[in-house]
Amino acid sequence: MNIKKVHCLTFSPTGTTRKITDTIAGVFQTKIYNHDITYDRTKDIPDFTSTDLLVVGVPVYGGRIPALLEDFFCRLHGDHTLCIPVVVYGNRAFEDALLELSDLLKDQGFVIAGAGAFIGEHSYGNEIAGGRPNGSDLAAATKFAETLRIKLDGIATADDLEPLHFPGNHPYKERSAPGIPWAPATTDSCNNCGICATVCPMGIIDRDDPKKITDPGSCLHCCACVKTCPKNAKVMESEFYKKFRGFLIANCSEIQKNPEIFV
Ligand SMILES: Cc1cc2nc3c(=O)[nH]c(=O)nc-3n(C[C@H](O)[C@H](O)[C@H](O)COP(=O)(O)O)c2cc1C
Ligand code: SF4
Ligand code: SF4
């Protein structure tokens, strides 16, 4: 099948998902149209055609896709458009996320060519899958995309593809209840450089006074601000965060999981 355009659509607050989607899209050796929805999910994305290929990547949040993306995906339109859904998770589990992402895309007119679950350094700290995706993860992503390229060369249209099946359950795992809003605190080491405000996907760190979170209830707890601050001045003080981080270090840091691909 002759693919004319490859589109790469990624949400990636701490950058691990982007490494995987960039690697996969790069294998198709054609001009790549990047749609980064980390910071802006309001812009119009053009409808996709039957000669496009869409690579979509999101991190796993609580075994699901990030809740704020559900509406965005419902605004996409494919026309029997080939698509490669990818989820990236922090070495705990991806649960229903890949199934959910694939379901959403199929509902919008996309045909799943192949899909993958990859591992990225956990947002909650580099003790959990630190440095991933590493060289061997990126090699696995490259091999996955090469396998798909050969598979797609052998078909005439997207409708020739057999349906793929993914792990996960219907109904999907329930999202946890919102609870009391919490967001990072800022220590006295802050020098007001403003970097954290530029990397916040929700735009809730005040650009004039980066110690101030304008809407704590919208915080994703994505840790982009915490990981990017050059002074280590953004800190998560919530008891829930500390407890869960302890759980992850105790249970998900020793055994390193491997990418899982579906072709
Ligand atoms: C709110 C939140 C929930 C998360 N839930 C999970 C999860 O259910 N399973 C898991 O293995 N990792 C989980 N993670 C870790 C991320 O999926 C992982 O670090 C991913 O690589 C982050 O992607 P990014 O670098 O593109 O932001 C969670 C992270 C956050 C911030
Ligand atoms: S990145 Fe760190 S030092 Fe810079 S403004 Fe934000 S909290 Fe302060
Ligand atoms: S304030 Fe919240 S949403 Fe914004 S970067 Fe920090 S953790 Fe992420």
Side-chain angles (χ1 to χ4, degrees), residues 16 25 44 67 93 100 112 120 125 154 164 177 190 199 211 218 228:
T16 61
D44 279 336
E100 182 181 19
I112 312 296
L164 291 168
C190 171
V199 301
K211 291 191 177 73
S218 298
T228 326

Side-chain angles (χ1 to χ4, degrees), residues 185-187 189-197 205 209-211 225 228-234:
T186 312
T187 69
S189 326
C190 171
N191 64 3
N192 289 314
C193 70
I195 292 172
C196 54
I205 301 179
D209 177 9
K211 291 191 177 73
C225 56
T228 326
C229 173
K231 295 281 179 190
N232 295 323
K234 280 273 182 252

Side-chain angles (χ1 to χ4, degrees), residues 118-130:
F118 291 83
I119 296 90
E121 176 174 309
H122 203 289
S123 319
Y124 285 8
N126 62 6
E127 298 90 339
I128 316 129

Side-chain angles (χ1 to χ4, degrees), residues 39-194:
Y39 307 108
D40 183 0
R41 293 158 298 277
T42 58
K43 59 188 166 203
D44 279 336
I45 306 277
D47 289 354
F48 297 95
T49 74
S50 58
T51 57
D52 289 340
L53 169 70
L54 177 66
V55 180
V56 181
V58 303
V60 175
Y61 283 1
R64 303 276 306 268
I65 70 163
L68 84 163
L69 300 181
E70 279 180 40
D71 286 350
F72 174 84
F73 283 123
C74 292
R75 290 197 285 116
L76 295 183
H77 290 291
D79 173 16
H80 303 258
T81 307
L82 291 168
C83 169
I84 306 174
V86 167
V87 295
V88 177
Y89 69 104
N91 207 46
R92 186 187 69 79
F94 62 95
E95 295 171 292
D96 299 334
L98 189 60
L99 179 67
E100 182 181 19
L101 180 60
S102 306
D103 286 346
L104 275 167
L105 290 162
K106 282 193 273 185
D107 286 349
Q108 299 308 121
F110 296 86
V111 178
I112 312 296
F118 291 83
I119 296 90
E121 176 174 309
H122 203 289
S123 319
Y124 285 8
N126 62 6
E127 298 90 339
I128 316 129
R132 296 188 74 183
N134 54 24
S136 109
D137 294 316
L138 297 181
T142 302
K143 197 164 165 222
F144 165 57
E146 284 170 351
T147 307
L148 278 178
R149 200 178 56 188
I150 294 165
K151 175 177 165 178
L152 298 178
D153 277 347
I155 57 163
T157 73
D159 296 329
D160 295 342
L161 290 169
E162 296 290 328
L164 291 168
H165 301 282
F166 308 109
N169 294 299
H170 294 116
Y172 310 128
K173 184 181 175 185
E174 276 203 31
R175 295 191 189 279
S176 27
I180 301 162
W182 58 278
T186 312
T187 69
D188 291 342
S189 326
C190 171
N191 64 3
N192 289 314
C193 70

Side-chain angles (χ1 to χ4, degrees), residues 184 200-202 204-205 213 219-225 236:
C200 174
M202 302 307 285
I204 55 171
I205 301 179
I213 305 279
C219 177
L220 301 175
H221 314 129
C222 69
C223 295
C225 56
M236 295 295 200

